[in-house]
Amino acid sequence: MSTFQAVAVTRLYRMIADQIAGRIRAGDFPRGRRLPSERDLAEQLQVSRASIREALIALEIEGYVEVRVGTGVFVADKEGGGAAWAAGPNASAAQSAADDIGPFDLLEARLIIEPECAGMAAQHATPAQLAAIVEAHEGMSLTDSPGRHDREFHGTIAAACGNAALAAAVGHLWNLTQSSSVYRRMQDYFVDAEVWAVAHAEHQRILTAIVAHDPIRARHAMHAHLLGILARLREDFGDVSNPRGDL
């Protein structure tokens, strides 16, 4: 008796990356050549620039391209581009499993859940929970590893919301985010000491609203903070005027 074949759902950014990688392997984009801009790729493929950004980062991790912030994205030198050139389409399989959900999908999910957690924390947080939120906030400015305190800040707010399911959902989203090599590479490019300072100021507004037991202001402050993260990770690589090359 015949059996069903397993069905794999391929994320959009992975499909985009595979299509661009195929064109690179076919020689349509010679090594060292700059790819079309993110804007041009988005128009040609009829997808969002966020999906293009995720695809290009995935391709860099796999050795197909080199991102030069301020200049653009270039096809990597074949001799130094890693095993991806020889492995072909199979090279993306392991990476796809590790980065199944794109960074912007994860951030958009947080944008739905975390503002409500902040509003609920403003209503339900105990004195001990408020103290934990304050400690995480203060720790972020006193360490060389602000990312750890960033997670603690958001996690303690979720824990203080009074809903265990929401707190667990926030924790799961953070786990997925921190296991994503695509997200980590984006942070390498666009999150520096200045950006952490901006995030810390945004955290202060969230904290102030929660301590004041103002759920409306807490929701708005968290929403603005997460929108800020999205905007920072969408900054252009610097090749918006690239006139060369078409897919």
Side-chain angles (χ1 to χ4, degrees), residues 137 196-206:
H137 173 66
W196 280 122
V198 171
H200 190 258
E202 293 169 349
H203 282 190
Q204 180 63 61
R205 289 189 281 274
I206 298 167

Side-chain angles (χ1 to χ4, degrees), residues 13-148:
Y13 86 91
R14 185 67 261 169
M15 296 171 65
I16 296 167
D18 289 344
Q19 185 174 159
I20 296 173
R23 296 294 300 273
I24 290 173
R25 289 194 303 272
D28 295 335
F29 295 111
R31 58 186 181 183
R33 178 177 176 179
R34 185 168 60 179
L35 289 178
S37 69
E38 290 179 271
R39 181 185 61 192
D40 290 342
L41 289 170
E43 290 175 354
Q44 292 168 34
L45 292 165
Q46 293 295 292
V47 296
S48 70
R49 286 186 64 178
S51 295
I52 294 294
R53 166 65 51 85
E54 292 169 340
L56 292 174
I57 293 291
L59 288 171
E60 184 185 42
I61 292 170
E62 293 163 14
Y64 283 105
V65 303
E66 176 188 353
V67 174
R68 303 176 193 171
V69 177
T71 305
V73 180
F74 292 75
V75 178
D77 188 314
K78 189 172 183 179
E79 295 177 358
W85 294 83
N90 293 328
S92 66
Q95 192 66 44
S96 180
D99 294 311
D100 188 44
I101 303 175
F104 291 111
D105 280 355
L106 291 169
L107 282 167
E108 287 168 1
R110 289 181 59 196
L111 193 59
I112 293 171
I113 296 173
E114 289 198 46
E116 188 59 30
C117 287
M120 294 171 69
Q123 295 174 296
H124 303 300
T126 66
Q129 289 171 329
L130 288 174
I133 298 170
V134 170
E135 182 179 358
H137 173 66
E138 293 177 347
M140 187 173 170
S141 62
L142 300 173
T143 179
D144 293 330
S145 304
R148 177 170 65 84

